[in-house]
Amino acid sequence: MSLTRTLSFSSPIQICRIMRPDDANIVGNVHGGTILKMIEEAGGIISTRHCNTQSGDRCVAALARVERTDFLHPMLIGEVAHVSAELTYTSRHSVEVQVNVMAENILTGSKKVTNKATLWYVPFSLQNVDKIIEVPQIEYASPEQEEEGKKRYEAQKMERLETKERNGEAIIPVISPEEYTVGFSQSSLIHLVGPSDCTLHGFVHGGVTMKLMDEVAGIVAARHCKTNIVTASVDAINFHRKIKKGCVVTVSGRMTFTSNKSMEIEVFVDADPLVETAKGKYRAVSAFFTYISLDKDGKPLPVPTLKLETQEEKKRFEEGKVRYLQTKAKRQAEQERQQ
């Protein structure tokens, strides 16, 4: 039996929700973690639905990776979020989903695109949580479209392998740190995983994890600047291992790079099983968040320069600088294409 299924790329799914006061960050706009959670929900729905269009084991698609996500415009309380998702590529065991977020002012009718994201999902059997299900393949509009998708797949696969090499690193508390150093702003959050955090498998929703990571990154940024801050972008969230219900997760963040108007924060998520203690603590997720500092009127402020004290901090700073310059060059190239 052929698993090929023709999809209409002009018919994405869409979920809508009005933004309420409890969705706000300290600035008064919608919390970046709330938007990331909605993005993941839309991606999870369309990828799980697609992977169950064939006969055999029923499955749930688990989030494996989020590519760079830019926060193009702030979303305001009272606006309606329209989150649309569509499948753009399938490999044998993974699904690529493109998600766009639009904010609608229901009083004026005006709309603006606030976020664009690319997510990768892997389907796991409901009968056996360690069994990865083969993905029904989609039919592409052209061979070129399929080839471009394959290139994206290979690129993210390579980046995930490179990220795993960093997973032995830990964030160590610093006693009486100097202001504007890495140790001064680094922060951690501890959370016990409950049923409301989990999927049908009993593992944590990717969106729940991303919201916790955004909260910690925001604390690091606020401690460094001592001003209002907002999420500007997220650079590749990699989900290395699943987190089970009943685990205690420690979400830790540290400053890695500052430019004149932005700061990069590295965030780790470590999971510690309370019951199955023999398995030990493990690194589950890692990512880089970029924040900007704002004045009381919401205008960008200069970011205090990060003081570097060790060779490792200097190395991470230079790596962050490379990512910053690469992103800046890509943004400029895209702007030139649109002109």
Side-chain angles (χ1 to χ4, degrees):
M1 180 183 70
S2 174
L3 296 178
T4 301
R5 180 184 178 220
T6 304
L7 294 177
S8 173
F9 286 86
S10 60
S11 302
I13 71 158
Q14 188 175 91
I15 58 175
C16 303
R17 184 162 79 82
I18 192 166
M19 298 293 100
R20 302 186 181 280
D22 57 351
D23 295 315
N25 56 23
I26 58 175
V27 181
N29 300 329
V30 176
H31 196 295
T34 298
I35 297 172
L36 289 171
K37 191 175 179 182
M38 289 191 296
I39 287 172
E40 196 279 327
E41 286 173 353
I45 290 170
I46 194 170
S47 53
T48 297
R49 180 182 290 170
H50 173 71
C51 292
N52 283 285
T53 56
Q54 60 185 345
S55 59
D57 288 4
R58 298 299 90 190
C59 63
V60 171
L63 184 61
R65 176 179 167 89
V66 181
E67 300 290 356
R68 180 179 174 85
T69 304
D70 288 306
F71 288 72
L72 306 173
H73 298 285
M75 188 177 294
L76 308 178
I77 302 304
E79 291 183 326
V80 173
H82 298 267
V83 186
S84 59
E86 63 178 336
L87 300 183
T88 48
Y89 182 75
T90 52
S91 70
R92 186 179 179 186
H93 291 129
S94 64
V95 180
E96 181 191 51
V97 181
Q98 300 278 355
V99 180
N100 290 328
V101 183
M102 181 177 291
E104 177 193 5
N105 184 320
I106 55 177
L107 301 180
T108 65
S110 63
K111 296 179 180 180
K112 61 186 176 186
V113 175
T114 61
N115 300 79
K116 293 183 177 182
T118 302
L119 303 89
W120 292 88
Y121 288 84
V122 175
F124 289 90
S125 168
L126 283 174
Q127 285 72 44
N128 179 359
V129 295
D130 294 319
K131 179 183 178 182
I132 299 176
I133 302 299
E134 191 164 329
V135 175
Q137 299 301 291
I138 62 174
E139 189 172 296
Y140 302 92
S142 66
E144 291 77 17
Q145 190 178 57
E146 182 176 8
E147 187 59 31
E148 285 300 314
K150 187 176 181 179
K151 288 179 182 178
R152 294 192 301 272
Y153 167 74
E154 294 296 341
Q156 65 87 27
K157 188 176 180 181
M158 184 63 67
E159 288 180 14
R160 279 177 57 79
L161 290 173
E162 292 173 357
T163 305
K164 283 184 179 180
E165 295 178 3
R166 297 170 58 95
N167 278 350
E169 297 186 19
I171 297 178
I172 308 299
V174 179
I175 299 173
S176 302
E178 183 183 345
E179 196 173 29
Y180 302 128
T181 60
V182 174
F184 182 80
S185 59
Q186 68 182 28
S187 304
S188 294
L189 178 155
I190 297 175
H191 177 75
L192 175 63
V193 176
S196 63
D197 298 321
C198 297
T199 65
L200 296 173
H201 274 134
F203 294 100
V204 178
H205 275 288
V208 171
T209 306
M210 290 194 291
K211 188 172 183 181
L212 291 172
M213 295 174 79
D214 186 64
E215 288 177 359
V216 168
I219 293 170
V220 174
R223 279 181 169 169
H224 183 76
C225 293
K226 302 179 183 66
T227 63
N228 290 332
I229 46 86
V230 292
T231 313
S233 65
V234 184
D235 190 3
I237 304 178
N238 289 292
F239 291 77
H240 308 293
R241 292 178 61 182
K242 298 188 290 292
I243 304 172
K244 197 171 184 180
K245 180 176 64 180
C247 281
V248 173
V249 294
T250 303
V251 188
S252 306
R254 65 184 173 197
M255 191 80 64
T256 51
F257 171 77
T258 56
S259 67
N260 183 42
K261 290 186 178 180
S262 69
M263 50 201 139
E264 181 189 74
I265 296 111
E266 185 175 27
V267 183
F268 297 129
V269 179
D270 295 317
D272 191 4
L274 281 182
V275 179
E276 299 171 325
T277 54
K279 292 186 176 181
K281 195 172 185 178
Y282 59 91
R283 178 64 43 81
V285 192
S286 58
F288 290 98
F289 286 70
T290 299
Y291 275 75
I292 57 174
S293 174
L294 299 176
D295 63 18
K296 293 180 180 179
D297 298 320
K299 295 181 180 179
L301 287 171
V303 172
T305 302
L306 182 64
K307 293 181 181 179
L308 306 173
E309 299 180 300
T310 68
Q311 288 301 315
E312 278 300 312
E313 289 175 1
K314 292 175 182 177
K315 179 185 175 184
R316 288 195 294 268
F317 187 91
E318 290 303 316
E319 291 171 346
K321 186 177 181 180
V322 170
R323 286 187 290 271
Y324 167 76
L325 293 174
Q326 288 175 340
T327 299
K328 190 175 180 180
K330 288 179 182 177
R331 189 182 298 119
Q332 289 174 343
E334 189 172 326
Q335 289 173 348
E336 290 173 1
R337 285 196 301 268
Q338 292 174 351
Q339 291 176 352

